[in-house]
Amino acid sequence: MTFKQFYLLGLFGITFSVATYLFFLRLSHSNKSKQNNYYKEINQGLLFIIFAILSWSVVAIYKIFDLKEFSLSYIINDRILSSMNNLFLFLSLAFFPIKEKNIFTSYFVKKEKWVINVFIIFSIVICFFTITDKISDSFNFVSRLLIVGLDSVFSIACLSGLGYVLYYAYKELGFEKWTLTYIKISIGLLSLTQVLLPLSKMVPGALSLFYPHFLAFFIICITQLVFLIANYYTVLYYSLKNNSLAENNFLKDQNINSQDIAEILKIEIGYSNENKLFYLTIVFKDQFQKQFKETNENSKLLQPLLYWLLFSAAKKQNVMLTHQDVALAKYRMVDYWNKESNFKLNQELLFFNESGYFEFKINEENITICEKDFFKSKLSVKEIFKKYFICFVPQEIKTTEQLNNKKNADKYLLDNFEAFYKNILE
């Protein structure tokens, strides 16, 4: 057995065994993809990683059975296989669950767009290799330099991107600086092999004598990379499993300690200019008639809070709301509170229902809406009142204008909403 055959068998054994391990690791968590989009994206990225590592296995098998001289056609086939490896590695970058936000990671926000762009780029690269093969008779040595050089550039770019993502992936899992430094060095050395190996074959002379040493160096570096990837996904899945168990235990403990709200005394909705937060405050009594005051704050004007604002304004105007979305609105309002508090609300406590017409049970004088002008300036507030505008129209006007007709209702909305909205929160 020659040194090169031994090297190729080693490359095949290492990459194929790691790819098999990752495949079974992914398989053991595949059911969670159907229940959780977070797992689905991680598993999708791992699938690309598996294909990338298997590409190295295919390269090893191809070279074992095709040990020809360094001909142009041999170079092209070799580079195409290398491009397939780079393709899958590039695709996987968008699916690493890292939180780092910068110019580079911004390309991963729209994952479908990233996948399409990567496929387009690599299709062009492979077409270039194929065209070069067709004109090889008059473009031989230069063709070799172009093909090998282009593939080396893409390989280094791919490894740099992968190293960058792996660095932050490990960092966000809590690994310390020595491990992060090891990642940097491993990726740097592997990138160096993408220059040394092609040069040792393309450029005749003393450098070619070191080709066997460069091969050994490469297989050491590739072993480190696949180890880092396999270790990352093992720790990631283990961490997610433990976090999930901890969260479930926390929720169980929270439910055990939670109490039901027996009576709502006051509601206040507003915006804190000091903290730049929207808030919902409820004064209530628990089941032991002890009084509490709690506040739910958020930096965004979320849809459930808009519904709280809508129902509060309707109560103050003695209006009952009815709409096909009211059932969902009520659920989201209650869920919005219950997620942040150990004191649990229920719909029966909060809403009065009269044949599908709903309003707050609490008296209007106990409802306070602060920063009214600020709320009215928000487009989302205006849109939700426009959606429920017909509920605020007096019954006699509905009858006179025949607003049960959609065309009439749309015209009335267009003509009267702006005047109505100016005084909505007064």
Side-chain angles (χ1 to χ4, degrees), residues 181-198:
T181 302
Y182 174 74
I183 293 172
K184 290 180 180 179
I185 294 173
S186 298
I187 296 296
L189 292 176
L190 184 56
S191 299
L192 182 62
T193 64
Q194 301 305 300
V195 177
L196 296 177
L197 281 172

Side-chain angles (χ1 to χ4, degrees), residues 124-387:
I124 294 171
V125 171
I126 292 175
C127 286
F128 173 79
F129 291 160
T130 306
I131 293 171
T132 305
D133 185 27
K134 300 301 181 184
I135 58 175
S136 60
D137 291 340
S138 58
F139 202 44
N140 201 319
F141 181 71
V142 178
S143 297
R144 296 185 184 187
L145 291 177
L146 284 174
I147 293 170
V148 174
L150 181 62
D151 181 66
S152 295
V153 168
F154 270 100
S155 295
I156 293 171
C158 179
L159 291 172
S160 299
L162 180 62
Y164 183 86
V165 171
L166 272 178
Y167 176 88
Y168 281 102
Y170 267 89
K171 186 176 181 180
E172 291 175 8
L173 282 179
F175 284 82
E176 300 298 333
K177 64 178 182 179
W178 290 111
T179 303
L180 302 179
T181 302
Y182 174 74
I183 293 172
K184 290 180 180 179
I185 294 173
S186 298
I187 296 296
L189 292 176
L190 184 56
S191 299
L192 182 62
T193 64
Q194 301 305 300
V195 177
L196 296 177
L197 281 172
L199 281 178
S200 64
K201 291 295 289 184
M202 294 294 299
V203 180
L207 197 59
S208 61
L209 298 176
F210 294 97
Y211 183 67
H213 302 87
F214 293 156
L215 286 179
F217 183 42
F218 172 77
I219 203 166
I220 292 171
C221 294
I222 206 70
T223 302
Q224 293 179 99
L225 177 63
V226 295
F227 164 76
L228 285 171
I229 292 172
N231 181 64
Y232 169 71
Y233 278 101
T234 303
V235 175
L236 176 64
Y237 281 123
Y238 179 79
S239 175
L240 289 175
K241 182 179 179 180
N242 281 355
N243 289 341
S244 178
L245 289 173
E247 184 178 353
N248 288 337
N249 290 334
F250 171 76
L251 290 174
K252 288 178 182 177
D253 294 340
Q254 192 179 44
N255 290 333
I256 291 171
N257 298 323
S258 66
Q259 301 179 45
D260 291 332
I261 295 175
E263 181 184 359
I264 298 177
L265 303 177
K266 292 182 180 180
I267 294 175
E268 181 178 327
I269 300 171
Y271 177 78
S272 171
N273 288 298
E274 180 180 352
N275 299 324
K276 306 299 180 185
L277 294 171
F278 296 94
Y279 68 86
L280 167 65
T281 298
I282 298 181
V283 180
F284 56 89
K285 289 182 179 180
D286 68 1
Q287 54 195 345
F288 305 106
Q289 294 303 302
K290 185 176 180 180
Q291 185 169 312
F292 293 89
K293 180 179 180 180
E294 279 199 8
T295 298
N296 183 337
E297 295 179 317
N298 201 292
S299 59
K300 297 180 180 180
L301 187 55
L302 300 177
Q303 190 75 12
L305 187 57
L306 289 173
Y307 286 126
W308 278 91
L309 184 64
L310 173 72
F311 270 90
S312 297
K315 184 65 178 182
K316 283 185 165 296
Q317 297 195 21
N318 196 28
V319 171
M320 301 187 77
L321 299 178
T322 180
H323 191 278
Q324 60 184 6
D325 293 338
V326 166
L328 177 61
K330 292 192 301 159
Y331 167 78
R332 295 180 70 176
M333 290 167 64
V334 171
D335 186 60
Y336 176 76
W337 176 265
N338 288 345
K339 279 184 176 179
E340 301 296 331
S341 175
N342 284 332
F343 293 90
K344 302 305 177 186
L345 264 176
N346 60 69
Q347 294 188 26
E348 289 72 23
L349 177 70
L350 188 60
F351 300 101
F352 175 77
N353 178 15
E354 184 180 311
S355 302
Y357 289 80
F358 297 90
E359 66 175 346
F360 278 154
K361 285 185 175 180
I362 186 173
N363 294 331
E364 58 269 18
E365 60 267 20
N366 293 326
I367 299 175
T368 303
I369 301 175
C370 304
E371 299 292 337
K372 295 178 182 179
D373 290 337
F374 177 76
F375 275 110
K376 286 169 66 174
S377 68
K378 294 295 180 181
L379 180 61
S380 56
V381 175
K382 186 173 184 179
E383 288 301 316
I384 200 166
F385 277 101
K386 182 180 290 187
K387 179 179 178 180

Side-chain angles (χ1 to χ4, degrees), residues 37-49:
N37 284 333
Y38 188 67
Y39 270 98
K40 184 177 180 180
E41 289 187 359
I42 293 173
N43 288 343
Q44 180 64 61
L46 180 54
L47 183 63
F48 289 136
I49 289 288

Side-chain angles (χ1 to χ4, degrees), residues 78-140:
D78 187 37
R79 296 306 103 179
I80 289 176
L81 289 172
S82 175
S83 294
M84 294 301 295
N85 169 263
N86 291 333
L87 167 66
F88 289 122
L89 287 179
F90 264 117
L91 290 173
S92 71
L93 297 183
F95 297 90
F96 278 84
I98 61 173
K99 300 176 183 177
E100 177 69 14
K101 304 296 181 185
N102 53 39
I103 296 176
F104 181 62
T105 58
S106 66
Y107 290 106
F108 306 151
V109 174
K110 296 182 178 179
K111 293 177 172 53
E112 297 82 2
K113 187 177 180 180
W114 170 260
V115 170
I116 292 170
N117 289 339
V118 170
F119 267 111
I120 291 173
I121 292 172
F122 276 89
S123 296
I124 294 171
V125 171
I126 292 175
C127 286
F128 173 79
F129 291 160
T130 306
I131 293 171
T132 305
D133 185 27
K134 300 301 181 184
I135 58 175
S136 60
D137 291 340
S138 58
F139 202 44
N140 201 319

